[in-house]
Structures are given as C-alpha cells and as structure tokens.
Amino acid sequence: MDTTAFGAGGGAAPSVQPERLRRGALGLADITASTMANIGPAMSFFFGFALIAQTAGVAAPLTILAAAVVVALLGNTLAEFSRSIPSTGSFITFIGKTFGPVAAITTTIVVSLGYIIAVSAVVAVSGGWTATIIAHYTGVHIAWQWFTALLTLVSFALVVKGVAVSTKWAGALFAFEMGLLVLVSVWVLVRHSGQLTTAPFDPGQLAGGFKGLGLGFPLAVFLFVGWENSAALAEETTNPRHAVPRAIYLSIAAMTVSYLLFAYVTVVGFNYDTAALAKSDVPFVDVALGILGGGAFLAYLAGFTSITGSLISAANSQSRLIFNSGREGLLPPVVAKVTARGRTPWVSFVVYLAVALGLAFGWGWDIDPVTYFGQSATLGTILIVVTWLVANLALPVYYRRHHPELFSPVRHLILPLAGVAAIGYPLYQLVKPGQPAPYNVFPLISAAIIVVAVGYALVLNARDRTLGERVGSIVADAE
C-alpha cells in the first residue's frame, strides 16, 4: 500500500513517511460517546425544538422520528464505507476513492468549510449560554465574546493533549448532560402523571398533516448532525471496521430515543399547548423552571456541558479531515503536522478553531448568539448535507467497482438511493427560493463555495497527477 506523503501544489515532494496518529487509543465506547457528545442533544434540542413544534403541532415528536429514519439511511452509507476502507478522511476518502481526485479535493473544501461554519455556531453559543446562566442567577451581564474566547481556548488545550484524554472528557460531559436531562424528564413526567397521553405520537395530531411534518423536517435532521463523528476517528480506534459501524448505529439509536423522550416531556410540560411552546426561546428549560423552580439549574447546566462536549468532540473529529487532506496532498502539508508526544494534529486544530472563532466574532459579533446559532448552522448544514448526498450516490458505484463480490442490492443500492431521496427534501427546503434574509443568500454562498472548490480541485489535480493514487492511501487498520 502506498503510504508516501506529498506537498500540495507544484507536483510531488520527495517520498517520506506520512504523519500517523496514535493507533489503538480508542475503543467502541470512546467513539460512541464522542459521537453522541458531538451531536450535543441538550444544545441541539434546546435551540431547535420550538420551531419543530410550531410547524408540526402536538405530534412534533413524529418529525424527529422521521428525521431519525433518514439519518439511519445515511448511517448505512457511512458504515458500509467504513467496513471497506476505514479512513481518517471519512467522506473525503469515500467520495475520492469512488469519483477520483477532483471529487476528493472538492469535497475537502466543501465539507471542511461546512463543518467549520457549523461549529462556529457552537463556538458562539458556548459563550452566549454561559453569559445567560450568569445573568439569570446573578444579574451580572458579561459580554458573551469573553466566554466564547475562553471556552475555545480550553477546548483547544484539551484536544491537543491527545485523543484519548479529550474523548474521555467529551464522553464524561455527555454522560453528565444525559443524566441531568433524564432526571429532569422523569421529574416532569411524575408531576404530569395524570395528564400523560399518546397524542404526541398520533399522526392525526400533526398540524397541517404531512406538510406540517415537512416544514420542521430539515431542522429535525440538523438535530442529528455529528452522527458521523466516529468515522474520522478510525485510525485511532481498535478494530475500526467493526467499531465504527457499531458506533454509528448505536449513536443514532440512542439519540432517537433521547430526543423522543425530551420532545414528549416538553409537549406534556406545556400542557399540549404548542402555540405557547413555539413562543419559548428554550422550551425545555421553561418546562424545568415551571416544575423544578430552583432545580431548573440542572437544565441550564446540562446545556452548558452539552455545548462544551460538542465543541471538544467536533474539534477532535472534524479537524482530522483537514489533517488527513494535508498529508495526502489535498491541502498544504503544514496542516498535517502532529505533536511528537500525543500524535495529535495540532495545526489542523488551530486552523479549525481559529477560523470558527473568527466567523463567530466577525459575522456574529453584533448578533444574539442564539440567532447566530441558527444562521451559521443553516449555512454550514447546506454544505454538509450536499456531502452526505454525494456520499450516498458514491456507495453503489464504489462497491460495484472495487468489491463486486461483496455488493448487496439492499445495503449498497436500495438504501443509499433511498437516502438520496430522503435527504434531498431537507436540502431543498434549505435552498429553495423565497427564504427570509439572510437565509435567502445562503444557497448562493454555498454554490459559490462549491464552484471555487471545483476550480481549486481542477488546478491542483492538473499540477499533480499523483493525487489519485494517494486519496485513501492510508487505511486506518493497515499495518
């Protein structure tokens, strides 16, 4: 297997051994916890469910269930790719091995920017949520930017220490977050025990029928962003061909059950009044305040640990795509530098977090962090969803071309094509004409990024014809 490293642009550099990450540092439990921490259920649910309930009504949990089915279809694609060629490059490797170096380079730019733009939402809201907690309980108002800068630096310090340490921190924060959310949920259900019904799971209760479900569907899909976290940790995972697919499915299943519980609790907590629910900025916290009083601090704390854990795990996973692209020559090789002791890709961490922080401070400086969260997350999601769609198209081509003996009509054709159809709807909802400002310009920005990425890919590939050999040249569990 070719394991040479080259410089981006100007042709191939002298043959050298590429930087490698620390093998066997993570197990199934680690990457599963990291994936769920990246999803950040408290953070995602807190800021997303009000709009879902506004569009779907009492049966809003069904919108989440529909989104979970779509994400499971996407999970099949990532799992099947990871069984064949587990790679730190994740979608970049999978698309590149199928469609060639130009597609790989284009995907590198599109998905890397998508993740950075999306995580800038987390960067901003980390400071915003901290400032909100302090203001709520002390009456002291401190600019969110200070907390954002501090928490970003803390996250960098953790991830640069090593993947094992930072992943355990993210997992611990996630466990704490989930424990608090479940505790609050059970408490609410006990207090409302005489009002519990199955209405939230009754399709007949959907406001506007299928249209009501569809309007909130893109946001429900966004609740699961991060489900793909484990694929980029393959190189550091023991037996990644088996562990990564299991982590994908376990994470999606666990988050589906959790979201359905939180959605049900929120609808019940508002006494099935979704009009009132939709007017709440953070409905789950308002339910906790109404039931628990001072105990609602647990919900605030769950939000804080969720945001922090998501930032750490996202930086760990998504920056590794930048690192892998650097060592394969798709990006400048400087981003592939690792620390001598921990074998962590510190330059890619700097690039990833610095650009995200720059976006949060530049674009989001004069915007409320929660508003900025919705805007930047939407723009980033468009680019990420385009990547998911192309990966689904790539799976049947890859298996027919490289592993025809393993080709399964169900797993490698029917399910990925169903995923294309299913993810096409939320993508259309994100880019269709007639959106309010600034969302109406996001499709144009996304299209411009894709065009520039294709141009960069064509130029780079013309200058270095060896790129096609190096895309996916380092398989995670190769000796």
Side-chain angles (χ1 to χ4, degrees), residues 280-302:
S280 169
D281 290 331
V282 189
F284 189 90
V285 172
D286 286 343
V287 168
L289 283 168
I291 297 295
L292 308 180
F297 177 73
L298 298 177
Y300 278 104
L301 190 58

Side-chain angles (χ1 to χ4, degrees), residues 66-93:
V69 173
V70 171
V71 174
L73 291 172
L74 303 175
N76 169 76
T77 293
L78 194 61
E80 291 303 311
F81 268 125
S82 296
R83 286 192 177 98
S84 174
I85 182 171
S87 170
T88 301
S90 186
F91 290 116
I92 299 166
T93 296

Side-chain angles (χ1 to χ4, degrees), residues 52 60-74 213 216-224 227 252 256 259-260 388 422-423 426:
I52 295 173
L62 292 179
T63 306
I64 294 175
L65 185 59
V69 173
V70 171
V71 174
L73 291 172
L74 303 175
L213 184 147
F217 184 66
L219 186 56
V221 171
F222 175 72
L223 297 183
F224 289 88
W227 63 269
I252 294 172
T256 300
Y259 281 144
L260 290 176
W388 292 350
I423 201 63

Side-chain angles (χ1 to χ4, degrees), residues 183-207:
L183 177 62
V184 172
S185 297
V186 171
W187 204 331
V188 171
L189 292 177
V190 169
R191 290 290 299 272
H192 286 268
S193 58
Q195 301 170 272
L196 303 183
T197 73
T198 60
F201 300 105
D202 179 3
Q205 296 292 327
L206 280 169

Side-chain angles (χ1 to χ4, degrees), residues 9 21 93 136 139 148 216 302 405 411 439 452:
L21 303 176
T93 296
H136 180 78
T148 286
E405 76 284 0
R411 297 196 311 273
Y439 297 92
V452 171

Side-chain angles (χ1 to χ4, degrees), residues 242-261:
H242 296 282
V244 170
R246 290 177 185 174
I248 291 168
Y249 290 127
L250 285 171
S251 301
I252 294 172
M255 290 299 94
T256 300
V257 172
S258 300
Y259 281 144
L260 290 176
L261 170 63

